[in-house]
């Protein structure tokens, strides 16, 4: 339950904000290129920090890092609700992503280290079901709160949910022990990966607007290549690396990571533009747009627990392949 509340909070935060981006833009009088960073700042930061906080949980304890993430998330949500400008909101969203990364990266680890292998698939499926529920509830809740109050109320909802998650997690969350040997944290690798991955994601996000051959984009790509090369070299030479590169020699692991990347790329490629299309392109009300936006998470809510249950019994390979198969065209 405690992990479910944290997962619900992290996923709810993504979709509840996305559906109100047009309203936030009008409130600040901002243009599309700047207001997109309300979402992009969160996605960039959380993408960079997930593995870092996962490793931090291995060393210092997953419960400790998880609870710290909740605290950061609550404070950042309060700052978002008080934002006087779009720049302040973007910075607060980046801080929110720091807390979100600690939540997401450690919730699955706590499940995996606490429960027996024969129950992990079912429990992880339940965890992701609750996360899908947050994705499902976000658009409708965001549309309702924005219509009834204003866009700032969506962040007050995050504060209330975060306080509840902190209270429940502190009292009942199991505390898997950290690594028995006091392993050092790979600061050099973390810094190199942060700069390299951050520069790459920045280049991808700005390439369409500024041109793929612009000085800024090419500079980001060059910085990314240099620092990711440094990261790989550092990791290969450490006894306790941030990322164990030898894992990628395992064919099943590498193919699973590649498949997950492609699936998430396809599933979330329209995440930012969908609310603008529904609200402004089609002229739908926030409530109707929220319902249409919820179609994908409804499907995930239904299939995720079933997938976890079946994974424990027939194995994940057939399920993963079937889930990634393309659906019928128009």
């Amino acid at each position: 339950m405690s992990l479910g509340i944290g997962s619900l909070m992290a996923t709810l935060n993504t979709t509840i904000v996305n559906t109100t981006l047009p309203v936030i833009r009008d409130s600040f009088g901002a243009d599309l290129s700047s207001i997109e960073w309300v979402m992009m700042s969160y996605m960039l930061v959380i993408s960079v920090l997930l593995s870092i906080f996962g490793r931090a949980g291995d060393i210092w304890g997953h419960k400790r890092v998880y609870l710290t993430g909740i605290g950061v998330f609550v404070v950042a949500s309060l700052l978002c609700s008080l934002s006087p400008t779009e720049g302040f909101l973007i910075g607060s969203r980046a801080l929110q992503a720091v807390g979100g990364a600690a939540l997401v990266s450690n919730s699955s680890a706590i499940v995996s280290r606490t429960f027996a292998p024969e129950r992990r698939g079912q429990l992880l499926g339940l965890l992701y079901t609750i996360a899908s529920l947050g994705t499902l509830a976000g658009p409708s809740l965001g549309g309702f709160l924005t219509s009834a109050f204003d866009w700032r109320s969506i962040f007050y909802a995050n504060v209330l949910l975060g306080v509840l998650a902190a209270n429940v997690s502190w009292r009942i969350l199991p505390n898997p022990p950290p690594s028995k040997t006091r392993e050092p944290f790979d600061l050099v690798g973390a810094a190199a990966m942060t700069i390299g991955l951050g520069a790459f994601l920045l280049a991808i996000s700005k390439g369409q607007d500024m041109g793929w051959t612009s000085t800024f984009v090419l500079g980001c790509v060059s910085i990314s290549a240099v620092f990711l090369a440094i990261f790989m070299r550092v990791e290969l030479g450490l006894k306790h690396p941030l990322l164990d590169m030898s894992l990628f020699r395992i064919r099943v692991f590498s193919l699973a990571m590649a498949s997950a990347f492609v699936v998430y790329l396809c599933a979330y490629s329209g995440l930012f533009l969908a609310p603008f299309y529904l609200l402004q392109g089609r002229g739908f009300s926030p409530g109707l747009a929220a319902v249409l936006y919820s179609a994908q998470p409804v499907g995930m809510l239904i299939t995720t627990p079933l997938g976890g249950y079946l994974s424990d019994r027939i194995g994940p390979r057939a399920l993963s392949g079937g889930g990634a198969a393309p659906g019928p065209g128009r």
Side-chain angles (χ1 to χ4, degrees):
M1 177 181 175
S2 56
L3 293 175
I5 296 175
S7 298
L8 176 67
M9 182 170 61
T11 54
L12 180 69
N13 175 70
T14 301
T15 56
I16 200 174
V17 172
N18 289 352
T19 54
T20 58
L21 283 177
V23 179
I24 296 174
R25 184 186 67 170
D26 294 340
S27 174
F28 289 126
D31 55 31
L32 183 63
S33 61
S34 63
I35 208 64
E36 70 175 347
W37 283 96
V38 173
M39 185 189 77
M40 288 301 302
S41 61
Y42 186 89
M43 301 304 294
L44 286 172
V45 173
I46 199 171
S47 298
V48 168
L49 295 182
L50 278 172
S51 61
I52 293 176
F53 278 117
R55 179 59 178 157
D58 290 337
I59 297 175
W60 294 304
H62 294 291
K63 180 178 180 179
R64 179 184 300 178
V65 177
Y66 182 84
L67 289 173
T68 301
I70 293 178
V72 172
F73 193 93
V74 169
V75 171
S77 297
L78 183 60
L79 292 175
C80 287
S81 68
L82 301 174
S83 298
T85 64
E86 69 268 23
F88 191 94
L89 177 59
I90 291 169
S92 299
R93 286 278 289 165
L95 180 61
Q96 212 177 28
V98 175
L103 290 173
V104 174
S105 60
N106 285 275
S107 57
S108 298
I110 292 174
V111 170
S112 298
R113 298 187 65 176
T114 302
F115 297 97
E118 59 270 16
R119 296 191 60 198
R120 286 176 189 167
Q122 181 180 3
L123 293 171
L124 286 172
L126 178 61
L127 184 65
Y128 295 138
T129 299
I130 298 175
S132 299
L133 181 61
T135 307
L136 170 63
S140 300
L141 182 59
F144 169 76
L145 291 175
T146 302
S147 299
F149 305 101
D150 65 9
W151 64 265
R152 297 179 188 273
S153 61
I154 65 177
F155 294 107
Y156 291 127
N158 281 331
V159 172
L160 295 175
L161 193 58
V163 171
L164 174 63
N167 181 51
V168 174
S169 299
W170 177 264
R171 290 187 293 108
I172 69 174
L173 193 66
N175 190 21
S179 176
K180 294 181 179 180
T181 58
R182 193 62 175 180
E183 300 175 357
F185 184 78
D186 179 16
L187 287 174
V188 176
M193 188 187 71
T194 299
I195 297 173
L197 186 56
F200 175 75
L201 294 174
L202 190 60
I204 294 296
S205 66
K206 302 303 291 184
Q208 185 67 37
D209 295 334
M210 304 181 69
W212 296 105
T213 58
S214 65
T215 302
F216 178 82
V217 172
L218 292 178
C220 286
V221 172
S222 300
I223 292 172
S224 174
V226 170
F227 278 92
L228 288 179
I230 293 173
F231 171 73
M232 294 182 65
R233 184 175 180 84
V234 169
E235 299 307 286
L236 290 172
L238 290 180
K239 183 178 180 181
H240 302 293
L242 179 69
L243 178 62
D244 187 355
M245 303 300 293
S246 65
L247 291 173
F248 292 96
R249 298 173 185 169
I250 304 174
R251 184 182 179 187
V252 173
F253 178 84
S254 296
L255 290 176
M257 293 299 101
S259 299
F261 174 79
V262 173
V263 168
Y264 279 103
L265 178 66
C266 296
Y268 293 100
S269 58
L271 197 63
F272 171 71
L273 293 177
F276 287 94
Y277 171 73
L278 295 173
L279 291 172
Q280 298 179 349
R282 299 299 300 272
F284 295 151
S285 66
L288 179 57
V291 172
L292 296 174
Y293 197 81
S294 302
Q296 179 178 322
V298 167
M300 295 176 64
L301 183 65
I302 296 172
T303 58
T304 300
L306 178 62
Y309 175 83
L310 292 175
S311 176
D312 290 333
R313 284 153 179 79
I314 65 175
R317 179 172 297 185
L319 294 172
S320 298
R330 292 183 60 184

mmCIF file with all atom_site columns, all heavy atoms in Angstrom, residues 223-239:
data_model
loop_
_atom_site.group_PDB
_atom_site.id
_atom_site.type_symbol
_atom_site.label_atom_id
_atom_site.label_alt_id
_atom_site.label_comp_id
_atom_site.label_asym_id
_atom_site.label_entity_id
_atom_site.label_seq_id
_atom_site.pdbx_PDB_ins_code
_atom_site.Cartn_x
_atom_site.Cartn_y
_atom_site.Cartn_z
_atom_site.occupancy
_atom_site.B_iso_or_equiv
_atom_site.pdbx_formal_charge
_atom_site.auth_seq_id
_atom_site.auth_comp_id
_atom_site.auth_asym_id
_atom_site.auth_atom_id
_atom_site.pdbx_PDB_model_num
ATOM 1   N N   . ILE A 1 223 ? 28.963 17.283 -26.567 1.00 0.00 ? 223 ILE A N   1
ATOM 2   C CA  . ILE A 1 223 ? 29.163 17.177 -25.116 1.00 0.00 ? 223 ILE A CA  1
ATOM 3   C C   . ILE A 1 223 ? 28.679 15.826 -24.615 1.00 0.00 ? 223 ILE A C   1
ATOM 4   O O   . ILE A 1 223 ? 29.340 15.171 -23.792 1.00 0.00 ? 223 ILE A O   1
ATOM 5   C CB  . ILE A 1 223 ? 28.432 18.324 -24.395 1.00 0.00 ? 223 ILE A CB  1
ATOM 6   C CG1 . ILE A 1 223 ? 29.090 19.662 -24.719 1.00 0.00 ? 223 ILE A CG1 1
ATOM 7   C CG2 . ILE A 1 223 ? 28.413 18.090 -22.882 1.00 0.00 ? 223 ILE A CG2 1
ATOM 8   C CD1 . ILE A 1 223 ? 28.328 20.858 -24.208 1.00 0.00 ? 223 ILE A CD1 1
ATOM 9   N N   . SER A 1 224 ? 27.518 15.405 -25.124 1.00 0.00 ? 224 SER A N   1
ATOM 10  C CA  . SER A 1 224 ? 26.968 14.117 -24.718 1.00 0.00 ? 224 SER A CA  1
ATOM 11  C C   . SER A 1 224 ? 27.914 12.976 -25.068 1.00 0.00 ? 224 SER A C   1
ATOM 12  O O   . SER A 1 224 ? 28.180 12.093 -24.243 1.00 0.00 ? 224 SER A O   1
ATOM 13  C CB  . SER A 1 224 ? 25.615 13.896 -25.386 1.00 0.00 ? 224 SER A CB  1
ATOM 14  O OG  . SER A 1 224 ? 25.122 12.609 -25.123 1.00 0.00 ? 224 SER A OG  1
ATOM 15  N N   . ALA A 1 225 ? 28.447 12.983 -26.293 1.00 0.00 ? 225 ALA A N   1
ATOM 16  C CA  . ALA A 1 225 ? 29.337 11.905 -26.729 1.00 0.00 ? 225 ALA A CA  1
ATOM 17  C C   . ALA A 1 225 ? 30.588 11.841 -25.862 1.00 0.00 ? 225 ALA A C   1
ATOM 18  O O   . ALA A 1 225 ? 31.035 10.756 -25.453 1.00 0.00 ? 225 ALA A O   1
ATOM 19  C CB  . ALA A 1 225 ? 29.718 12.111 -28.193 1.00 0.00 ? 225 ALA A CB  1
ATOM 20  N N   . VAL A 1 226 ? 31.159 13.007 -25.537 1.00 0.00 ? 226 VAL A N   1
ATOM 21  C CA  . VAL A 1 226 ? 32.381 13.048 -24.736 1.00 0.00 ? 226 VAL A CA  1
ATOM 22  C C   . VAL A 1 226 ? 32.134 12.508 -23.329 1.00 0.00 ? 226 VAL A C   1
ATOM 23  O O   . VAL A 1 226 ? 32.868 11.637 -22.830 1.00 0.00 ? 226 VAL A O   1
ATOM 24  C CB  . VAL A 1 226 ? 32.933 14.483 -24.675 1.00 0.00 ? 226 VAL A CB  1
ATOM 25  C CG1 . VAL A 1 226 ? 34.063 14.576 -23.649 1.00 0.00 ? 226 VAL A CG1 1
ATOM 26  C CG2 . VAL A 1 226 ? 33.432 14.927 -26.047 1.00 0.00 ? 226 VAL A CG2 1
ATOM 27  N N   . PHE A 1 227 ? 31.083 12.999 -22.691 1.00 0.00 ? 227 PHE A N   1
ATOM 28  C CA  . PHE A 1 227 ? 30.858 12.615 -21.293 1.00 0.00 ? 227 PHE A CA  1
ATOM 29  C C   . PHE A 1 227 ? 30.309 11.201 -21.157 1.00 0.00 ? 227 PHE A C   1
ATOM 30  O O   . PHE A 1 227 ? 30.594 10.523 -20.154 1.00 0.00 ? 227 PHE A O   1
ATOM 31  C CB  . PHE A 1 227 ? 29.941 13.624 -20.610 1.00 0.00 ? 227 PHE A CB  1
ATOM 32  C CG  . PHE A 1 227 ? 30.658 14.853 -20.136 1.00 0.00 ? 227 PHE A CG  1
ATOM 33  C CD1 . PHE A 1 227 ? 30.757 15.968 -20.951 1.00 0.00 ? 227 PHE A CD1 1
ATOM 34  C CD2 . PHE A 1 227 ? 31.262 14.881 -18.886 1.00 0.00 ? 227 PHE A CD2 1
ATOM 35  C CE1 . PHE A 1 227 ? 31.438 17.098 -20.531 1.00 0.00 ? 227 PHE A CE1 1
ATOM 36  C CE2 . PHE A 1 227 ? 31.938 16.003 -18.457 1.00 0.00 ? 227 PHE A CE2 1
ATOM 37  C CZ  . PHE A 1 227 ? 32.037 17.125 -19.274 1.00 0.00 ? 227 PHE A CZ  1
ATOM 38  N N   . LEU A 1 228 ? 29.548 10.727 -22.126 1.00 0.00 ? 228 LEU A N   1
ATOM 39  C CA  . LEU A 1 228 ? 29.108 9.336  -22.055 1.00 0.00 ? 228 LEU A CA  1
ATOM 40  C C   . LEU A 1 228 ? 30.275 8.378  -22.303 1.00 0.00 ? 228 LEU A C   1
ATOM 41  O O   . LEU A 1 228 ? 30.332 7.287  -21.719 1.00 0.00 ? 228 LEU A O   1
ATOM 42  C CB  . LEU A 1 228 ? 27.990 9.085  -23.073 1.00 0.00 ? 228 LEU A CB  1
ATOM 43  C CG  . LEU A 1 228 ? 26.647 9.715  -22.739 1.00 0.00 ? 228 LEU A CG  1
ATOM 44  C CD1 . LEU A 1 228 ? 25.618 9.429  -23.822 1.00 0.00 ? 228 LEU A CD1 1
ATOM 45  C CD2 . LEU A 1 228 ? 26.124 9.228  -21.385 1.00 0.00 ? 228 LEU A CD2 1
ATOM 46  N N   . ALA A 1 229 ? 31.235 8.789  -23.142 1.00 0.00 ? 229 ALA A N   1
ATOM 47  C CA  . ALA A 1 229 ? 32.444 7.987  -23.327 1.00 0.00 ? 229 ALA A CA  1
ATOM 48  C C   . ALA A 1 229 ? 33.256 7.950  -22.032 1.00 0.00 ? 229 ALA A C   1
ATOM 49  O O   . ALA A 1 229 ? 33.784 6.892  -21.643 1.00 0.00 ? 229 ALA A O   1
ATOM 50  C CB  . ALA A 1 229 ? 33.281 8.559  -24.472 1.00 0.00 ? 229 ALA A CB  1
ATOM 51  N N   . ILE A 1 230 ? 33.355 9.104  -21.365 1.00 0.00 ? 230 ILE A N   1
ATOM 52  C CA  . ILE A 1 230 ? 34.038 9.150  -20.068 1.00 0.00 ? 230 ILE A CA  1
ATOM 53  C C   . ILE A 1 230 ? 33.325 8.252  -19.067 1.00 0.00 ? 230 ILE A C   1
ATOM 54  O O   . ILE A 1 230 ? 33.966 7.505  -18.302 1.00 0.00 ? 230 ILE A O   1
ATOM 55  C CB  . ILE A 1 230 ? 34.100 10.596 -19.547 1.00 0.00 ? 230 ILE A CB  1
ATOM 56  C CG1 . ILE A 1 230 ? 35.003 11.446 -20.446 1.00 0.00 ? 230 ILE A CG1 1
ATOM 57  C CG2 . ILE A 1 230 ? 34.595 10.630 -18.097 1.00 0.00 ? 230 ILE A CG2 1
ATOM 58  C CD1 . ILE A 1 230 ? 34.985 12.922 -20.098 1.00 0.00 ? 230 ILE A CD1 1
ATOM 59  N N   . PHE A 1 231 ? 32.002 8.308  -19.071 1.00 0.00 ? 231 PHE A N   1
ATOM 60  C CA  . PHE A 1 231 ? 31.221 7.480  -18.153 1.00 0.00 ? 231 PHE A CA  1
ATOM 61  C C   . PHE A 1 231 ? 31.504 5.997  -18.363 1.00 0.00 ? 231 PHE A C   1
ATOM 62  O O   . PHE A 1 231 ? 31.755 5.255  -17.399 1.00 0.00 ? 231 PHE A O   1
ATOM 63  C CB  . PHE A 1 231 ? 29.732 7.773  -18.352 1.00 0.00 ? 231 PHE A CB  1
ATOM 64  C CG  . PHE A 1 231 ? 28.821 6.826  -17.624 1.00 0.00 ? 231 PHE A CG  1
ATOM 65  C CD1 . PHE A 1 231 ? 28.670 6.894  -16.252 1.00 0.00 ? 231 PHE A CD1 1
ATOM 66  C CD2 . PHE A 1 231 ? 28.107 5.863  -18.320 1.00 0.00 ? 231 PHE A CD2 1
ATOM 67  C CE1 . PHE A 1 231 ? 27.833 6.028  -15.584 1.00 0.00 ? 231 PHE A CE1 1
ATOM 68  C CE2 . PHE A 1 231 ? 27.264 4.991  -17.670 1.00 0.00 ? 231 PHE A CE2 1
ATOM 69  C CZ  . PHE A 1 231 ? 27.131 5.071  -16.292 1.00 0.00 ? 231 PHE A CZ  1
ATOM 70  N N   . MET A 1 232 ? 31.487 5.547  -19.606 1.00 0.00 ? 232 MET A N   1
ATOM 71  C CA  . MET A 1 232 ? 31.728 4.134  -19.890 1.00 0.00 ? 232 MET A CA  1
ATOM 72  C C   . MET A 1 232 ? 33.136 3.724  -19.493 1.00 0.00 ? 232 MET A C   1
ATOM 73  O O   . MET A 1 232 ? 33.346 2.637  -18.930 1.00 0.00 ? 232 MET A O   1
ATOM 74  C CB  . MET A 1 232 ? 31.481 3.857  -21.372 1.00 0.00 ? 232 MET A CB  1
ATOM 75  C CG  . MET A 1 232 ? 30.036 4.028  -21.802 1.00 0.00 ? 232 MET A CG  1
ATOM 76  S SD  . MET A 1 232 ? 29.751 3.645  -23.544 1.00 0.00 ? 232 MET A SD  1
ATOM 77  C CE  . MET A 1 232 ? 30.126 1.896  -23.566 1.00 0.00 ? 232 MET A CE  1
ATOM 78  N N   . ARG A 1 233 ? 34.095 4.573  -19.739 1.00 0.00 ? 233 ARG A N   1
ATOM 79  C CA  . ARG A 1 233 ? 35.479 4.247  -19.379 1.00 0.00 ? 233 ARG A CA  1
ATOM 80  C C   . ARG A 1 233 ? 35.636 4.146  -17.868 1.00 0.00 ? 233 ARG A C   1
ATOM 81  O O   . ARG A 1 233 ? 36.305 3.243  -17.350 1.00 0.00 ? 233 ARG A O   1
ATOM 82  C CB  . ARG A 1 233 ? 36.424 5.308  -19.941 1.00 0.00 ? 233 ARG A CB  1
ATOM 83  C CG  . ARG A 1 233 ? 37.894 5.000  -19.695 1.00 0.00 ? 233 ARG A CG  1
ATOM 84  C CD  . ARG A 1 233 ? 38.794 6.012  -20.371 1.00 0.00 ? 233 ARG A CD  1
ATOM 85  N NE  . ARG A 1 233 ? 40.204 5.730  -20.150 1.00 0.00 ? 233 ARG A NE  1
ATOM 86  C CZ  . ARG A 1 233 ? 40.916 4.874  -20.864 1.00 0.00 ? 233 ARG A CZ  1
ATOM 87  N NH1 . ARG A 1 233 ? 40.346 4.227  -21.860 1.00 0.00 ? 233 ARG A NH1 1
ATOM 88  N NH2 . ARG A 1 233 ? 42.191 4.663  -20.596 1.00 0.00 ? 233 ARG A NH2 1
ATOM 89  N N   . VAL A 1 234 ? 35.013 5.087  -17.149 1.00 0.00 ? 234 VAL A N   1
ATOM 90  C CA  . VAL A 1 234 ? 35.085 5.069  -15.687 1.00 0.00 ? 234 VAL A CA  1
ATOM 91  C C   . VAL A 1 234 ? 34.424 3.816  -15.128 1.00 0.00 ? 234 VAL A C   1
ATOM 92  O O   . VAL A 1 234 ? 34.962 3.146  -14.238 1.00 0.00 ? 234 VAL A O   1
ATOM 93  C CB  . VAL A 1 234 ? 34.433 6.339  -15.104 1.00 0.00 ? 234 VAL A CB  1
ATOM 94  C CG1 . VAL A 1 234 ? 34.256 6.213  -13.594 1.00 0.00 ? 234 VAL A CG1 1
ATOM 95  C CG2 . VAL A 1 234 ? 35.283 7.568  -15.424 1.00 0.00 ? 234 VAL A CG2 1
ATOM 96  N N   . GLU A 1 235 ? 33.244 3.485  -15.653 1.00 0.00 ? 235 GLU A N   1
ATOM 97  C CA  . GLU A 1 235 ? 32.498 2.342  -15.122 1.00 0.00 ? 235 GLU A CA  1
ATOM 98  C C   . GLU A 1 235 ? 33.230 1.024  -15.340 1.00 0.00 ? 235 GLU A C   1
ATOM 99  O O   . GLU A 1 235 ? 33.197 0.129  -14.484 1.00 0.00 ? 235 GLU A O   1
ATOM 100 C CB  . GLU A 1 235 ? 31.112 2.270  -15.786 1.00 0.00 ? 235 GLU A CB  1
ATOM 101 C CG  . GLU A 1 235 ? 30.238 3.489  -15.533 1.00 0.00 ? 235 GLU A CG  1
ATOM 102 C CD  . GLU A 1 235 ? 30.104 3.813  -14.058 1.00 0.00 ? 235 GLU A CD  1
ATOM 103 O OE1 . GLU A 1 235 ? 29.381 3.092  -13.358 1.00 0.00 ? 235 GLU A OE1 1
ATOM 104 O OE2 . GLU A 1 235 ? 30.725 4.794  -13.606 1.00 0.00 ? 235 GLU A OE2 1
ATOM 105 N N   . LEU A 1 236 ? 33.905 0.889  -16.473 1.00 0.00 ? 236 LEU A N   1
ATOM 106 C CA  . LEU A 1 236 ? 34.625 -0.349 -16.770 1.00 0.00 ? 236 LEU A CA  1
ATOM 107 C C   . LEU A 1 236 ? 35.827 -0.554 -15.860 1.00 0.00 ? 236 LEU A C   1
ATOM 108 O O   . LEU A 1 236 ? 36.302 -1.679 -15.695 1.00 0.00 ? 236 LEU A O   1
ATOM 109 C CB  . LEU A 1 236 ? 35.068 -0.354 -18.237 1.00 0.00 ? 236 LEU A CB  1
ATOM 110 C CG  . LEU A 1 236 ? 33.935 -0.490 -19.267 1.00 0.00 ? 236 LEU A CG  1
ATOM 111 C CD1 . LEU A 1 236 ? 34.476 -0.282 -20.676 1.00 0.00 ? 236 LEU A CD1 1
ATOM 112 C CD2 . LEU A 1 236 ? 33.249 -1.839 -19.149 1.00 0.00 ? 236 LEU A CD2 1
ATOM 113 N N   . GLY A 1 237 ? 36.317 0.531  -15.265 1.00 0.00 ? 237 GLY A N   1
ATOM 114 C CA  . GLY A 1 237 ? 37.499 0.414  -14.426 1.00 0.00 ? 237 GLY A CA  1
ATOM 115 C C   . GLY A 1 237 ? 37.228 0.363  -12.941 1.00 0.00 ? 237 GLY A C   1
ATOM 116 O O   . GLY A 1 237 ? 38.166 0.305  -12.140 1.00 0.00 ? 237 GLY A O   1
ATOM 117 N N   . LEU A 1 238 ? 35.952 0.383  -12.524 1.00 0.00 ? 238 LEU A N   1
ATOM 118 C CA  . LEU A 1 238 ? 35.613 0.420  -11.100 1.00 0.00 ? 238 LEU A CA  1
ATOM 119 C C   . LEU A 1 238 ? 35.123 -0.937 -10.598 1.00 0.00 ? 238 LEU A C   1
ATOM 120 O O   . LEU A 1 238 ? 34.479 -1.693 -11.326 1.00 0.00 ? 238 LEU A O   1
ATOM 121 C CB  . LEU A 1 238 ? 34.523 1.463  -10.846 1.00 0.00 ? 238 LEU A CB  1
ATOM 122 C CG  . LEU A 1 238 ? 34.915 2.936  -10.990 1.00 0.00 ? 238 LEU A CG  1
ATOM 123 C CD1 . LEU A 1 238 ? 33.707 3.820  -10.711 1.00 0.00 ? 238 LEU A CD1 1
ATOM 124 C CD2 . LEU A 1 238 ? 36.063 3.304  -10.056 1.00 0.00 ? 238 LEU A CD2 1
ATOM 125 N N   . LYS A 1 239 ? 35.422 -1.208 -9.346  1.00 0.00 ? 239 LYS A N   1
ATOM 126 C CA  . LYS A 1 239 ? 34.940 -2.434 -8.718  1.00 0.00 ? 239 LYS A CA  1
ATOM 127 C C   . LYS A 1 239 ? 33.467 -2.312 -8.355  1.00 0.00 ? 239 LYS A C   1
ATOM 128 O O   . LYS A 1 239 ? 32.714 -3.290 -8.413  1.00 0.00 ? 239 LYS A O   1
ATOM 129 C CB  . LYS A 1 239 ? 35.767 -2.727 -7.459  1.00 0.00 ? 239 LYS A CB  1
ATOM 130 C CG  . LYS A 1 239 ? 35.379 -4.026 -6.762  1.00 0.00 ? 239 LYS A CG  1
ATOM 131 C CD  . LYS A 1 239 ? 36.267 -4.272 -5.548  1.00 0.00 ? 239 LYS A CD  1
ATOM 132 C CE  . LYS A 1 239 ? 35.869 -5.579 -4.855  1.00 0.00 ? 239 LYS A CE  1
ATOM 133 N NZ  . LYS A 1 239 ? 36.716 -5.831 -3.659  1.00 0.00 ? 239 LYS A NZ  1
#
